[in-house]
Amino acid sequence: MHADRRWARSAVAATGAVVLFTTACEGTPASADGDKGNPGFAAFQGKPCPKLTAADRTNGHLITTAAGPREGVTVHPGGEPRTVLVKLCNTTGKALRDIALSAQVESDYAGERAPKLTVERREAPEGDWHPVELVVANDYQPLTGASGARDLPAHGTRTVEYRISAAKDAPAGRGGFAVHAVRADANPPDMEDIRGGGHGGFPLTTAPRG
C-alpha cells in the first residue's frame, strides 16, 4: 500500500458521515453505562446519522466520517485515561458483514519516539474492555490491528467506547487519531474491499499537566 497521509486530514475533519465522536468523562469510571458514567451518552445515541457526502461516494465508503469534539482529546503522562464514544452507521439497505475496527496515529505523533499510548475498546454500553493494537504509521493501514469484527445491520448502528491513556514516561505529542472500519476478510491489495468501510477521528494530544 502506498504512503498516503490523507487519512489523517480527513479523519480529523468535521465533514463526511457516519463515524461520530464525543468525549466522555475523564478517568477510569467514565463509562458508557447509560448516563451514570457518561452524561452525554443518551444524547450521543440520539443524534441522527450523517449522510454520505460526494467524496464518500467517490471513495466507495459505506461507513464514513464526521468527528467531534473539534478540540480533540488530551491525555497526561501517568494520568487518568480519557474515553471517546464512536458510533458507526450503516448507510446502506443491506447488512455489512464482519466489520472490524483498527486505531492509528501518525508516525510523527511524538517525533522520533514511541508515543507510549495504551488504547482499549469495548462495545457500549456494557461490553468488556479489550486491548487495541495502536498502529503508528503515516500510510493508510486500516487492516493492521483490526479486531472486534461484528455485523452491522442494514441502516443499523454500533456504538463503541475507546479508552486512551499515556504511560508515565510518555513523550509529548500531537496528531490525528483515526479509527478505521473495515471488512475483516478484506483483501489488502484490493482497495475496493478496504473502501467498503470508512474512517473517522479526532485530534489527540499528550501533554504534561500545567
Side-chain angles (χ1 to χ4, degrees):
M1 236 177 286
H2 66 283
D4 187 349
R5 294 173 64 92
R6 287 176 297 175
W7 69 265
R9 293 195 295 271
S10 60
V12 299
T15 58
V18 198
V19 182
L20 305 169
F21 294 85
T22 185
T23 313
C25 304
E26 185 171 359
T28 304
S31 70
D33 187 9
D35 272 355
K36 296 178 182 178
N38 181 356
F41 180 71
F44 175 74
Q45 284 289 80
K47 289 182 178 180
C49 292
K51 297 180 179 180
L52 290 171
T53 66
D56 296 330
R57 297 180 190 280
T58 298
N59 290 329
H61 289 151
L62 305 178
I63 302 170
T64 48
T65 64
R70 289 178 181 271
E71 66 273 16
V73 171
T74 298
V75 293
H76 303 289
E80 296 291 338
R82 297 295 305 272
T83 60
V84 174
L85 290 171
V86 178
K87 184 177 180 181
L88 293 90
C89 303
N90 183 351
T91 65
T92 76
K94 62 180 181 180
L96 300 178
R97 303 296 182 189
D98 294 325
I99 299 299
L101 298 172
S102 64
Q104 184 171 348
V105 295
E106 296 174 89
S107 295
D108 57 359
Y109 178 88
E112 296 182 357
R113 300 179 61 186
K116 294 190 176 182
L117 298 171
T118 297
V119 182
E120 299 170 283
R121 183 184 67 230
R122 73 173 184 175
E123 299 296 320
E126 298 177 348
D128 296 325
W129 289 108
H130 297 283
V132 171
E133 176 187 346
L134 180 63
V135 179
V136 183
N138 284 341
D139 48 336
Y140 181 58
Q141 296 187 16
L143 291 177
T144 304
S147 62
R150 293 194 175 197
D151 294 346
L152 195 56
H155 300 298
T157 64
R158 174 186 178 188
T159 302
V160 182
E161 186 175 21
Y162 280 82
R163 183 164 64 182
I164 306 169
S165 58
K168 290 183 179 180
D169 59 345
R174 179 176 175 81
F177 183 102
V179 173
H180 303 300
V182 64
R183 278 179 42 200
D185 62 349
N187 180 18
D190 188 343
M191 288 304 295
E192 291 304 317
D193 254 7
I194 294 175
R195 286 174 177 163
H199 59 265
F202 50 91
L204 176 66
T205 301
T206 301
R209 292 188 181 276

